[in-house]
Amino acid sequence: MIPPVDGDRWRETIAQRLADGARFAGAWAVGTGPQAAWRVALLAPGRPAEVLSCPAREGRVPTIVDLVPAADWDEREAHDLHAIDFDGHEPMRALVAHPRDPAAWSTPVAGEGVHEVAVGPIHAGVIESGHFRLHVVGERILALDTRLFYKHRGLEHAAEGGDPACGLAHVGRACAACAVANSVAYAHAVERALGLWPDRDLRLARTLLLELERLYNHLHDIGALCAGVGYAPGAMAFAALKDRAQCVNERLAGHRFLFRTIAVGAGALAVDRAAVDSARGELRELRADAAATWRELEFAGSLQARLGAIGVLNYHAALQLGACGPAARAAGVPTDARGHSPRLWYDGDFRPAAPRESTGDVAARLQLRAAELETTCDLLDELLTHPLAPGTAAPAHEPRPLGLGLVESPRGATLAAVELAADRIARLRLRPGSYATWPAVAHAAAGNLLPDFPLINKSFELCYACVDR
Amino acid sequence: MYVLLRQLAQLRRDAGLTRPSPPRSLALRHVDAGSCNGCEHELGLVISPRYDLQRYGLDIVASPRHADILLVTGPVTTRMAGALRIAYEAMPEPRLVAALGDCALGRGILGDPAELAGPLDDLLPVDIRIPGCPPSPRAIAEHLLAALEP
């Protein structure tokens, strides 16, 4: 079992780990109320991931949110779903729960001319459901409260008690756009718990699928950002490119969103020589067309004029809030889980993409995605030089009751934690890159003009489905 | 921008898009009632250059007040059931409801039953059924075009 840390020593233990260079990676509760335990996963460079556990004595655990602001959402979620009280977490605002009284979940903002603009859960376009409460004076945003979890389906809870394959079905359905990243993170977690290690074929196939997912997502996100400023030619051109990437997915792997291509303990994808050759050729053409279209965007004055110094997330805030993925990299934080993924095929010296300038604004996030398309296309070109066999994962070490998987999704580092008991899922926690980065959206929106909010939100382009689960 | 517009015109020619038949029109309002975002991605492409639903007189509108069809995705979570009903009630008659994707059709639902209020059939009268997980842009376009037939 995971050795428990007593509540009296909890904060001091976490503070010590942070001082030693560890980084908060996610937290989850097991059980409810007085029977609950609170787990925190920490990552440190060059060391294996560590999970610390604190029993919730009388349903209470000391908060660490002042030491680790990134743990804010995790503690609020555990408060709502597992009835744990976090001593010192004040005010404890609802996150997953949807109380009627706005005071129970939103920031109190008062003063002359302050008013609220409420948006959602249903939006004016084809967008996922979620509610934004913007506190504004005139056109200026003072603060933003995001209220998500309208799409909470209880997927983790539904998977618990089932076998690992049943868990994969739930994780795979959490979000279509991150289906591969979520599934691979989950498969890694289960395989780690079962003592399995993937062979070369399995590492290759999963890496290919992750990069195919990144390709169509980044194309989509660039187009969505163009739509965010009403620049229709860019939005339409990138939508067409994204559709082409998804057609390649379908021909290569049988599904436009790469569903059912990941299994636990084995591969689920075999591709012959003709199919890899044809996909490689199509992706080379797609890459050239995407590069040409991107150049058009760089010279589109009406688009570029909207991007600079808007929605700034600086280096310090990105680190503090625990943002990850393109949003963090655009702020100059060189974080990318692909750099330390021995269970995948990435080189040991994988270097995260960096923007031209780490300004952390909408422009930097857009430009970073374009730079990452280049890396992804390089990787895909290399991965598609040989036919792919499904591969397998073979016993390599003793089984453990807990496994973690960390995978770089198109939106950042996605953590899956799986606790097994008698080969059944005792607890499943999926903490996608979007979950880690959502608090940064509110931070980046404050101080900007209200009409820029859709653009700022699009520049992060985080998932709701992933987060709501 | 002119280069981009020229590329898009070329794309339309390459895709061999046909001219629309007689002028008819339907306005669609989309509500995500707990989907995995797959149906939203594909619905977004239906109005992109390769499929271009607008040329048939179908378009996605910003308000249920302007809509003829309510397009619903997802298994309908308890937290979206209220907003979905309000959107439906805001629509003028005659109105149609389309279930977009397997979740909205109540097929292969995953999740905790306590968090789900669906399937859609139990909440609203469903007129159009578009199966698939998710249905491809072409499939969505074909089902919606069928609704234009008298």
Side-chain angles (χ1 to χ4, degrees), chain A residues 96 98 121-129 149-155 157-158 169-170 173 175-177 220 231 233 236-237 239-240 242-243 246 255-257 259 293 296 465, chain B residues 1 3-5 7-8 11 29-32 34-38 40-43 45 47-51 60-62 77 79-80 83 87 103 108 110-112 115-116 133-134 137:
Chain A
V96 184
H98 282 184
I122 301 176
H123 300 282
V126 179
I127 306 170
E128 294 188 83
S129 292
F149 296 91
Y150 281 88
K151 295 159 59 126
H152 180 60
R153 289 146 286 162
L155 289 171
H157 184 61
H170 288 82
R173 191 66 80 81
C175 173
H220 169 86
Y231 184 66
M236 288 295 127
K242 171 211 174 191
D243 184 49
Q246 286 191 282
H255 196 277
R256 290 168 57 85
F257 293 85
F259 284 4
T293 312
E296 289 301 317
Chain B
M1 173 142 109
V3 177
L4 272 184
L5 291 173
Q7 282 172 0
L8 292 168
L11 192 67
R29 175 61 247 171
H30 158 254
V31 174
D32 165 10
S35 91
C36 73
N37 202 16
E40 282 67 26
H41 269 261
E42 298 298 52
L43 181 60
L45 285 181
I47 50 171
S48 78
R50 274 172 59 98
Y51 307 95
I60 296 167
V61 295
T77 58
R79 295 136 193 261
M80 278 307 293
C103 290
L110 293 169
D112 181 351
E115 304 288 353
L116 303 175
C133 182

Coordinates of all heavy atoms in Angstrom, one line a residue, chain A residues 96 98 121-129 149-155 157-158 169-170 173 175-177 220 231 233 236-237 239-240 242-243 246 255-257 259 293 296 465, chain B residues 1 3-5 7-8 11 29-32 34-38 40-43 45 47-51 60-62 77 79-80 83 87 103 108 110-112 115-116 133-134 137:
Chain A
V96 N -17.4 21.1 -9.0 CA -18.2 20.1 -9.7 C -19.7 20.3 -9.3 O -20.5 20.1 -10.2 CB -17.7 18.7 -9.4 CG1 -18.5 17.7 -10.2 CG2 -16.2 18.5 -9.6
H98 N -23.1 22.2 -8.4 CA -23.7 23.4 -9.0 C -24.7 24.0 -8.1 O -25.9 23.9 -8.3 CB -24.3 23.1 -10.4 CG -23.3 22.9 -11.5 ND1 -23.7 22.7 -12.8 CD2 -22.0 23.0 -11.5 CE1 -22.6 22.7 -13.6 NE2 -21.6 22.8 -12.8
P121 N -24.7 27.9 -20.0 CA -23.9 26.9 -20.6 C -24.0 26.7 -22.1 O -23.1 26.1 -22.7 CB -24.4 25.6 -19.9 CG -25.8 25.9 -19.5 CD -25.8 27.4 -19.2
I122 N -25.1 27.1 -22.7 CA -25.3 26.9 -24.2 C -24.7 28.2 -24.8 O -25.0 29.3 -24.5 CB -26.7 26.8 -24.6 CG1 -27.3 25.5 -23.9 CG2 -26.9 26.6 -26.1 CD1 -28.8 25.3 -24.2
H123 N -23.8 28.0 -25.8 CA -23.1 29.1 -26.5 C -23.7 29.3 -27.9 O -24.5 28.5 -28.4 CB -21.6 28.8 -26.6 CG -21.0 28.7 -25.2 ND1 -20.7 29.8 -24.4 CD2 -20.6 27.6 -24.5 CE1 -20.2 29.3 -23.3 NE2 -20.1 28.0 -23.3
A124 N -23.3 30.4 -28.5 CA -23.9 30.8 -29.8 C -23.4 30.0 -30.9 O -24.0 30.0 -32.0 CB -23.7 32.3 -30.0
G125 N -22.3 29.3 -30.8 CA -21.8 28.5 -31.9 C -21.9 27.0 -31.6 O -22.6 26.6 -30.8
V126 N -21.1 26.2 -32.4 CA -21.0 24.8 -32.1 C -19.9 24.6 -31.1 O -18.7 24.4 -31.5 CB -20.8 24.0 -33.4 CG1 -20.7 22.5 -33.1 CG2 -21.9 24.2 -34.4
I127 N -20.2 24.8 -29.8 CA -19.2 24.8 -28.8 C -19.7 23.9 -27.6 O -20.9 23.8 -27.4 CB -18.9 26.2 -28.3 CG1 -18.6 27.1 -29.5 CG2 -17.8 26.3 -27.3 CD1 -18.6 28.6 -29.1
E128 N -18.8 23.3 -26.9 CA -19.1 22.5 -25.8 C -19.8 23.4 -24.7 O -19.6 24.6 -24.6 CB -17.9 21.9 -25.2 CG -17.3 20.9 -26.1 CD -16.2 20.1 -25.4 OE1 -16.5 19.1 -24.7 OE2 -15.0 20.5 -25.5
S129 N -20.5 22.7 -23.8 CA -21.3 23.4 -22.8 C -20.5 23.8 -21.6 O -19.8 23.0 -21.0 CB -22.5 22.6 -22.4 OG -23.4 22.5 -23.4
F149 N -18.2 21.4 -15.7 CA -18.8 20.2 -15.2 C -20.3 20.1 -15.5 O -21.0 19.3 -14.9 CB -18.6 20.1 -13.7 CG -17.1 19.9 -13.4 CD1 -16.3 21.0 -13.1 CD2 -16.5 18.7 -13.4 CE1 -15.0 20.9 -12.9 CE2 -15.1 18.6 -13.2 CZ -14.4 19.7 -12.9
Y150 N -20.8 20.8 -16.5 CA -22.2 20.6 -17.0 C -22.3 19.3 -17.7 O -23.3 18.7 -17.9 CB -22.6 21.7 -18.0 CG -23.0 23.0 -17.3 CD1 -22.1 23.9 -17.0 CD2 -24.3 23.2 -16.9 CE1 -22.5 25.1 -16.3 CE2 -24.7 24.3 -16.3 CZ -23.8 25.3 -15.9 OH -24.2 26.4 -15.3
K151 N -21.1 18.8 -18.2 CA -21.1 17.5 -18.9 C -20.6 16.4 -18.1 O -20.1 15.4 -18.6 CB -20.2 17.7 -20.2 CG -20.8 18.7 -21.2 CD -19.7 19.2 -22.1 CE -19.0 18.2 -22.9 NZ -19.1 18.4 -24.3
H152 N -20.6 16.6 -16.8 CA -20.1 15.5 -15.9 C -21.0 14.3 -16.0 O -22.2 14.3 -15.7 CB -20.1 16.0 -14.4 CG -19.6 15.0 -13.4 ND1 -18.4 14.5 -13.5 CD2 -20.2 14.4 -12.4 CE1 -18.2 13.6 -12.5 NE2 -19.3 13.5 -11.8
R153 N -20.3 13.2 -16.4 CA -21.0 11.9 -16.7 C -20.7 10.9 -15.6 O -21.1 9.7 -15.7 CB -20.7 11.4 -18.1 CG -21.3 12.2 -19.2 CD -20.4 12.2 -20.4 NE -19.3 13.1 -20.2 CZ -18.2 13.1 -20.9 NH1 -18.1 12.2 -21.9 NH2 -17.2 13.9 -20.6
G154 N -19.8 11.2 -14.7 CA -19.4 10.3 -13.7 C -18.7 9.1 -14.3 O -18.8 7.9 -13.8
L155 N -17.8 9.3 -15.3 CA -17.1 8.2 -16.0 C -16.2 7.5 -15.1 O -16.1 6.2 -15.1 CB -16.4 8.8 -17.2 CG -17.3 9.2 -18.4 CD1 -16.5 10.0 -19.4 CD2 -18.0 8.1 -19.0
H157 N -16.3 7.1 -11.8 CA -17.1 6.3 -10.8 C -17.7 5.1 -11.5 O -17.7 4.0 -10.9 CB -18.2 7.2 -10.2 CG -19.0 6.6 -9.2 ND1 -18.4 6.1 -8.0 CD2 -20.3 6.3 -9.1 CE1 -19.3 5.6 -7.2 NE2 -20.5 5.6 -7.9
A158 N -18.2 5.3 -12.8 CA -18.8 4.2 -13.5 C -17.8 3.1 -13.8 O -18.1 1.9 -13.9 CB -19.4 4.7 -14.8
A169 N -12.7 1.7 -21.9 CA -13.9 2.2 -22.6 C -14.4 3.5 -22.1 O -14.7 4.5 -22.8 CB -15.0 1.2 -22.5
H170 N -14.4 3.7 -20.7 CA -14.8 4.9 -20.1 C -13.8 6.1 -20.4 O -14.3 7.2 -20.7 CB -15.0 4.7 -18.6 CG -16.2 3.9 -18.3 ND1 -16.2 2.5 -18.3 CD2 -17.5 4.3 -18.0 CE1 -17.4 2.1 -18.0 NE2 -18.2 3.1 -17.8
R173 N -13.9 7.4 -23.9 CA -15.1 8.2 -24.3 C -15.1 9.5 -23.6 O -16.0 10.3 -23.8 CB -16.4 7.3 -23.9 CG -17.7 7.9 -24.5 CD -17.7 7.9 -26.0 NE -18.1 6.5 -26.5 CZ -19.3 6.1 -26.5 NH1 -20.3 6.8 -26.1 NH2 -19.5 4.8 -27.0
C175 N -13.3 12.1 -23.9 CA -13.2 13.2 -24.9 C -12.7 12.7 -26.2 O -11.7 11.9 -26.3 CB -12.1 14.2 -24.3 SG -11.7 15.5 -25.4
A176 N -13.4 13.0 -27.3 CA -13.0 12.5 -28.6 C -11.7 13.1 -29.0 O -10.8 12.4 -29.6 CB -14.1 12.8 -29.6
A177 N -11.5 14.4 -28.8 CA -10.3 15.1 -29.3 C -9.0 14.7 -28.6 O -7.9 14.9 -29.1 CB -10.5 16.6 -29.2
H220 N -7.0 22.1 -36.1 CA -8.3 22.5 -35.6 C -8.1 23.8 -34.8 O -8.9 24.8 -35.0 CB -8.9 21.4 -34.8 CG -10.2 21.9 -34.1 ND1 -11.4 22.0 -34.7 CD2 -10.3 22.4 -32.8 CE1 -12.3 22.5 -33.8 NE2 -11.6 22.8 -32.7
Y231 N -12.0 35.8 -38.7 CA -11.3 35.7 -39.9 C -11.6 34.4 -40.7 O -11.0 33.4 -40.5 CB -9.8 35.8 -39.6 CG -8.9 35.8 -40.8 CD1 -8.9 37.0 -41.7 CD2 -8.0 34.8 -41.1 CE1 -8.1 37.0 -42.8 CE2 -7.2 34.9 -42.3 CZ -7.3 36.0 -43.1 OH -6.5 36.0 -44.2
P233 N -11.6 33.2 -43.8 CA -10.7 32.5 -44.8 C -9.8 31.5 -44.0 O -9.6 30.4 -44.4 CB -10.0 33.5 -45.5 CG -10.8 34.8 -45.4 CD -11.5 34.7 -44.1
M236 N -11.8 28.6 -42.4 CA -12.2 27.6 -43.4 C -11.0 26.8 -43.9 O -11.1 25.6 -44.1 CB -12.9 28.3 -44.5 CG -14.3 28.9 -44.1 SD -15.4 27.5 -43.7 CE -16.0 28.0 -42.1
A237 N -9.9 27.5 -44.2 CA -8.8 26.8 -44.8 C -8.2 25.7 -43.8 O -7.9 24.6 -44.2 CB -7.7 27.8 -45.2
A239 N -9.9 24.4 -41.3 CA -10.9 23.3 -41.1 C -10.8 22.3 -42.2 O -10.9 21.1 -41.9 CB -12.3 23.9 -41.1
A240 N -10.5 22.7 -43.4 CA -10.4 21.8 -44.5 C -9.1 20.9 -44.3 O -9.1 19.7 -44.6 CB -10.3 22.5 -45.9
K242 N -7.7 20.2 -41.4 CA -8.0 19.3 -40.3 C -8.8 18.1 -40.8 O -8.6 16.9 -40.5 CB -8.8 20.0 -39.3 CG -9.3 19.1 -38.2 CD -10.6 19.7 -37.6 CE -11.3 18.7 -36.6 NZ -12.6 19.1 -36.3
D243 N -9.8 18.3 -41.7 CA -10.6 17.2 -42.3 C -9.7 16.3 -43.0 O -9.9 15.0 -42.9 CB -11.7 17.8 -43.2 CG -12.6 16.7 -43.7 OD1 -13.1 15.9 -42.9 OD2 -12.9 16.7 -44.9
Q246 N -7.9 14.1 -40.7 CA -8.8 13.0 -40.1 C -9.1 12.0 -41.1 O -9.4 10.8 -40.8 CB -10.1 13.7 -39.6 CG -9.9 14.5 -38.3 CD -11.2 14.9 -37.7 OE1 -11.8 15.8 -38.1 NE2 -11.6 14.1 -36.7
H255 N -10.5 5.0 -38.1 CA -11.5 5.9 -37.4 C -10.9 7.4 -37.5 O -9.8 7.6 -37.3 CB -11.7 5.5 -35.9 CG -12.9 6.1 -35.3 ND1 -12.8 7.4 -34.7 CD2 -14.1 5.7 -35.1 CE1 -14.0 7.7 -34.3 NE2 -14.8 6.7 -34.5
R256 N -11.8 8.3 -37.7 CA -11.4 9.7 -37.9 C -10.8 10.3 -36.6 O -10.0 11.2 -36.6 CB -12.6 10.6 -38.3 CG -13.0 10.3 -39.8 CD -14.3 10.9 -40.1 NE -14.4 12.3 -39.9 CZ -13.9 13.3 -40.8 NH1 -13.4 12.9 -41.9 NH2 -14.0 14.5 -40.5
F257 N -11.3 9.8 -35.4 CA -10.8 10.2 -34.1 C -9.9 9.1 -33.5 O -9.6 9.2 -32.3 CB -11.9 10.6 -33.2 CG -12.7 11.8 -33.6 CD1 -13.7 11.6 -34.5 CD2 -12.4 13.0 -33.1 CE1 -14.5 12.7 -34.9 CE2 -13.1 14.2 -33.6 CZ -14.1 14.0 -34.5
F259 N -10.5 6.2 -32.6 CA -11.1 5.3 -31.5 C -10.7 3.9 -31.7 O -10.5 3.4 -32.8 CB -12.7 5.4 -31.6 CG -13.3 6.7 -31.1 CD1 -12.4 7.8 -30.6 CD2 -14.6 6.9 -31.0 CE1 -13.0 9.0 -30.2 CE2 -15.2 8.1 -30.5 CZ -14.4 9.1 -30.1
T293 N -0.6 27.8 -46.1 CA -1.7 28.4 -45.5 C -1.3 29.3 -44.3 O -1.8 30.4 -44.0 CB -2.8 27.4 -45.1 OG1 -3.0 26.5 -46.2 CG2 -4.1 28.1 -44.8
E296 N 0.1 32.5 -45.2 CA -1.0 33.5 -45.5 C -1.5 34.2 -44.2 O -1.7 35.4 -44.1 CB -2.2 32.8 -46.2 CG -1.9 32.4 -47.6 CD -1.5 33.6 -48.4 OE1 -2.1 34.7 -48.3 OE2 -0.5 33.5 -49.2
A465 N -15.1 18.4 -22.2 CA -15.5 17.0 -22.0 C -14.4 16.3 -21.2 O -14.8 15.5 -20.3 CB -15.7 16.3 -23.3
Chain B
M1 N -4.9 37.1 -48.0 CA -6.3 36.7 -47.9 C -6.8 36.3 -49.3 O -7.5 35.3 -49.4 CB -7.1 37.8 -47.3 CG -8.6 37.5 -47.3 SD -9.4 38.0 -45.9 CE -10.5 39.3 -46.4
V3 N -5.2 35.0 -51.7 CA -4.6 33.7 -52.0 C -5.4 32.6 -51.3 O -5.8 31.6 -51.9 CB -3.1 33.6 -51.5 CG1 -2.6 32.2 -51.8 CG2 -2.3 34.6 -52.3
L4 N -5.8 32.8 -50.0 CA -6.6 31.9 -49.2 C -7.9 31.7 -49.9 O -8.4 30.6 -50.0 CB -6.8 32.4 -47.8 CG -5.7 32.0 -46.8 CD1 -6.2 32.5 -45.4 CD2 -5.5 30.5 -46.7
L5 N -8.6 32.8 -50.3 CA -9.9 32.7 -50.9 C -9.8 31.9 -52.2 O -10.7 31.1 -52.5 CB -10.5 34.1 -51.1 CG -10.9 34.8 -49.8 CD1 -11.3 36.2 -50.1 CD2 -12.0 34.1 -49.1
Q7 N -7.6 29.6 -52.9 CA -7.4 28.2 -52.5 C -8.7 27.5 -52.2 O -9.0 26.4 -52.5 CB -6.5 28.1 -51.3 CG -5.0 28.2 -51.6 CD -4.2 28.3 -50.3 OE1 -4.7 28.2 -49.2 NE2 -2.9 28.5 -50.5
L8 N -9.5 28.3 -51.4 CA -10.8 27.7 -51.0 C -11.7 27.5 -52.2 O -12.4 26.5 -52.3 CB -11.5 28.6 -50.0 CG -10.8 28.7 -48.6 CD1 -11.3 29.9 -47.8 CD2 -10.9 27.4 -47.9
L11 N -10.6 24.4 -53.8 CA -11.0 23.2 -53.0 C -12.5 22.9 -53.3 O -12.8 21.7 -53.5 CB -10.9 23.6 -51.5 CG -11.0 22.5 -50.5 CD1 -9.8 21.6 -50.6 CD2 -11.0 23.1 -49.1
R29 N -30.1 24.8 -34.5 CA -29.5 25.3 -33.2 C -28.9 24.0 -32.5 O -29.6 23.0 -32.3 CB -30.6 25.9 -32.4 CG -30.1 26.4 -31.0 CD -29.0 27.4 -31.0 NE -27.8 26.8 -30.4 CZ -26.6 27.3 -30.4 NH1 -26.4 28.5 -30.9 NH2 -25.6 26.7 -29.8
H30 N -27.6 24.1 -32.2 CA -27.0 22.9 -31.6 C -26.9 23.1 -30.1 O -26.7 24.2 -29.5 CB -25.5 22.9 -32.1 CG -24.6 22.1 -31.2 ND1 -23.6 22.7 -30.5 CD2 -24.5 20.8 -31.0 CE1 -23.0 21.8 -29.8 NE2 -23.4 20.6 -30.1
V31 N -27.2 22.0 -29.3 CA -27.0 22.0 -27.9 C -26.2 20.7 -27.5 O -26.6 19.6 -27.8 CB -28.4 22.0 -27.1 CG1 -28.1 21.8 -25.6 CG2 -29.1 23.2 -27.3
D32 N -25.1 21.0 -26.8 CA -24.2 19.9 -26.3 C -24.8 19.5 -25.0 O -24.6 20.3 -24.0 CB -22.8 20.4 -26.2 CG -21.9 19.5 -25.4 OD1 -22.3 18.4 -25.0 OD2 -20.8 19.9 -25.1
G34 N -23.8 17.0 -23.1 CA -22.9 16.1 -22.4 C -22.1 15.2 -23.4 O -21.7 14.0 -23.0
S35 N -21.8 15.6 -24.6 CA -21.1 14.8 -25.5 C -19.6 14.8 -25.2 O -19.1 15.5 -24.4 CB -21.3 15.3 -26.9 OG -20.3 16.2 -27.3
C36 N -18.9 13.9 -26.0 CA -17.4 13.8 -25.8 C -16.7 14.8 -26.7 O -15.5 14.8 -26.8 CB -17.0 12.4 -26.1 SG -17.0 12.0 -27.8
N37 N -17.5 15.6 -27.4 CA -17.0 16.7 -28.3 C -16.7 16.1 -29.7 O -16.3 16.8 -30.6 CB -15.7 17.3 -27.7 CG -15.4 18.7 -28.3 OD1 -16.3 19.3 -28.9 ND2 -14.2 19.2 -28.2
G38 N -16.9 14.8 -29.9 CA -16.7 14.2 -31.2 C -17.7 14.7 -32.2 O -17.4 15.2 -33.3
E40 N -19.4 17.5 -32.0 CA -19.2 18.9 -32.2 C -18.1 19.1 -33.3 O -18.3 19.9 -34.2 CB -18.8 19.6 -30.9 CG -19.9 19.9 -30.0 CD -20.6 18.6 -29.4 OE1 -19.9 17.6 -29.3 OE2 -21.7 18.7 -29.0
H41 N -17.0 18.3 -33.2 CA -16.0 18.5 -34.2 C -16.5 18.2 -35.6 O -16.2 18.9 -36.5 CB -14.9 17.5 -33.9 CG -13.8 18.1 -33.0 ND1 -12.6 18.5 -33.5 CD2 -13.7 18.2 -31.7 CE1 -11.8 19.0 -32.5 NE2 -12.5 18.8 -31.4
E42 N -17.3 17.1 -35.7 CA -17.8 16.7 -37.0 C -18.9 17.7 -37.5 O -19.0 18.0 -38.7 CB -18.4 15.3 -37.0 CG -17.3 14.2 -36.6 CD -16.2 14.1 -37.6 OE1 -15.5 15.2 -37.9 OE2 -15.9 13.0 -38.1
L43 N -19.7 18.2 -36.6 CA -20.7 19.2 -37.0 C -20.1 20.5 -37.4 O -20.5 21.1 -38.4 CB -21.7 19.5 -35.8 CG -22.8 20.4 -36.0 CD1 -23.7 20.0 -37.1 CD2 -23.6 20.6 -34.7
L45 N -17.4 20.7 -39.0 CA -16.9 20.5 -40.4 C -18.0 20.5 -41.5 O -17.7 20.7 -42.6 CB -16.1 19.1 -40.5 CG -14.7 19.2 -39.9 CD1 -14.0 17.8 -40.0 CD2 -13.8 20.3 -40.5
I47 N -20.1 22.6 -41.9 CA -20.2 24.0 -42.5 C -18.8 24.4 -43.0 O -18.6 25.6 -43.2 CB -20.8 25.0 -41.6 CG1 -20.1 24.9 -40.2 CG2 -22.3 24.7 -41.5 CD1 -20.6 26.0 -39.3
S48 N -17.9 23.5 -43.2 CA -16.5 23.9 -43.8 C -16.5 23.6 -45.3 O -17.5 23.0 -45.8 CB -15.4 23.1 -43.1 OG -15.4 21.8 -43.6
P49 N -15.5 24.0 -46.0 CA -15.5 24.0 -47.5 C -15.8 22.7 -48.1 O -16.4 22.6 -49.2 CB -14.1 24.5 -47.9 CG -13.6 25.3 -46.7 CD -14.3 24.7 -45.5
R50 N -15.3 21.6 -47.5 CA -15.5 20.3 -48.2 C -16.9 19.8 -48.2 O -17.3 18.9 -49.0 CB -14.6 19.2 -47.6 CG -13.2 19.3 -48.2 CD -12.3 18.4 -47.5 NE -12.7 17.0 -47.4 CZ -12.3 16.1 -48.3 NH1 -11.4 16.3 -49.2 NH2 -12.7 14.8 -48.2
Y51 N -17.8 20.3 -47.3 CA -19.1 19.8 -47.2 C -20.1 20.9 -47.5 O -21.1 20.7 -48.2 CB -19.4 19.1 -45.8 CG -18.4 18.1 -45.5 CD1 -17.2 18.4 -44.8 CD2 -18.5 16.8 -46.1 CE1 -16.2 17.4 -44.5 CE2 -17.5 15.8 -45.8 CZ -16.4 16.2 -45.1 OH -15.4 15.2 -44.9
I60 N -26.3 26.9 -39.3 CA -26.3 26.8 -37.8 C -26.5 28.3 -37.3 O -25.8 29.2 -37.7 CB -25.0 26.2 -37.2 CG1 -25.0 24.7 -37.7 CG2 -25.0 26.3 -35.7 CD1 -23.7 24.1 -37.5
V61 N -27.5 28.5 -36.5 CA -27.8 29.8 -36.0 C -27.5 30.0 -34.5 O -27.3 29.0 -33.8 CB -29.3 30.2 -36.3 CG1 -29.6 30.3 -37.8 CG2 -30.3 29.2 -35.6
A62 N -27.4 31.2 -34.1 CA -26.9 31.5 -32.8 C -28.0 31.4 -31.6 O -27.6 31.3 -30.5 CB -26.3 32.9 -32.7
T77 N -26.9 15.0 -19.7 CA -26.5 14.9 -18.3 C -27.6 15.6 -17.4 O -28.3 16.4 -18.0 CB -25.2 15.6 -18.0 OG1 -25.3 17.0 -18.5 CG2 -24.0 15.0 -18.8
R79 N -27.1 17.9 -15.4 CA -26.9 19.3 -15.3 C -27.2 20.1 -16.6 O -27.3 21.3 -16.6 CB -25.4 19.5 -15.0 CG -25.0 19.0 -13.7 CD -23.7 18.3 -13.8 NE -23.4 17.5 -12.6 CZ -22.5 17.9 -11.7 NH1 -21.9 19.1 -11.8 NH2 -22.3 17.2 -10.6
M80 N -27.4 19.4 -17.7 CA -27.7 20.0 -19.0 C -29.2 19.9 -19.3 O -29.7 20.5 -20.2 CB -26.9 19.5 -20.1 CG -25.5 20.1 -20.3 SD -25.5 21.9 -20.3 CE -26.3 22.2 -21.9
A83 N -31.1 23.3 -19.1 CA -30.8 24.2 -20.2 C -31.3 23.7 -21.5 O -31.8 24.5 -22.4 CB -29.3 24.4 -20.3
A87 N -33.9 25.8 -24.0 CA -33.6 26.0 -25.4 C -34.8 25.5 -26.3 O -35.2 26.2 -27.2 CB -32.3 25.3 -25.8
C103 N -24.8 8.6 -28.5 CA -25.1 9.0 -27.1 C -26.5 9.6 -27.1 O -27.3 9.2 -26.2 CB -24.1 9.9 -26.6 SG -22.5 9.2 -26.3
G108 N -25.2 2.5 -26.3 CA -23.8 2.4 -25.8 C -23.4 3.4 -24.8 O -22.3 3.9 -24.8
L110 N -22.1 5.3 -21.7 CA -21.2 5.1 -20.6 C -21.4 6.2 -19.6 O -21.7 7.3 -19.9 CB -19.7 5.1 -21.1 CG -19.4 4.0 -22.0 CD1 -18.0 4.2 -22.7 CD2 -19.3 2.6 -21.3
G111 N -21.1 5.9 -18.3 CA -21.2 6.9 -17.3 C -22.1 6.4 -16.1 O -22.7 5.3 -16.2
D112 N -22.2 7.2 -15.1 CA -22.9 6.9 -13.9 C -24.4 7.2 -14.1 O -24.7 8.4 -14.3 CB -22.3 7.7 -12.7 CG -23.0 7.4 -11.4 OD1 -24.0 6.7 -11.4 OD2 -22.4 7.9 -10.4
E115 N -25.9 10.5 -12.9 CA -25.5 11.8 -13.5 C -26.2 12.0 -14.8 O -26.0 13.1 -15.4 CB -24.0 11.8 -13.7 CG -23.1 11.6 -12.5 CD -23.2 12.7 -11.5 OE1 -23.8 13.8 -11.8 OE2 -22.7 12.6 -10.4
L116 N -27.0 11.0 -15.3 CA -27.6 11.2 -16.6 C -29.1 11.3 -16.5 O -29.8 10.5 -15.8 CB -27.2 9.9 -17.4 CG -25.7 9.7 -17.6 CD1 -25.4 8.4 -18.4 CD2 -25.1 10.9 -18.3
C133 N -20.7 7.2 -34.1 CA -19.9 7.5 -33.0 C -18.5 8.0 -33.4 O -17.6 7.3 -33.3 CB -19.8 6.4 -32.0 SG -18.9 6.8 -30.5
P134 N -18.4 9.3 -33.7 CA -19.5 10.2 -34.1 C -19.8 10.0 -35.5 O -19.1 9.4 -36.3 CB -18.8 11.6 -33.9 CG -17.4 11.4 -34.1 CD -17.1 10.0 -33.7
P137 N -19.0 14.0 -41.0 CA -19.7 15.2 -41.6 C -20.6 14.8 -42.7 O -21.7 15.4 -42.8 CB -18.5 16.0 -42.1 CG -17.3 15.5 -41.3 CD -17.5 14.1 -41.0

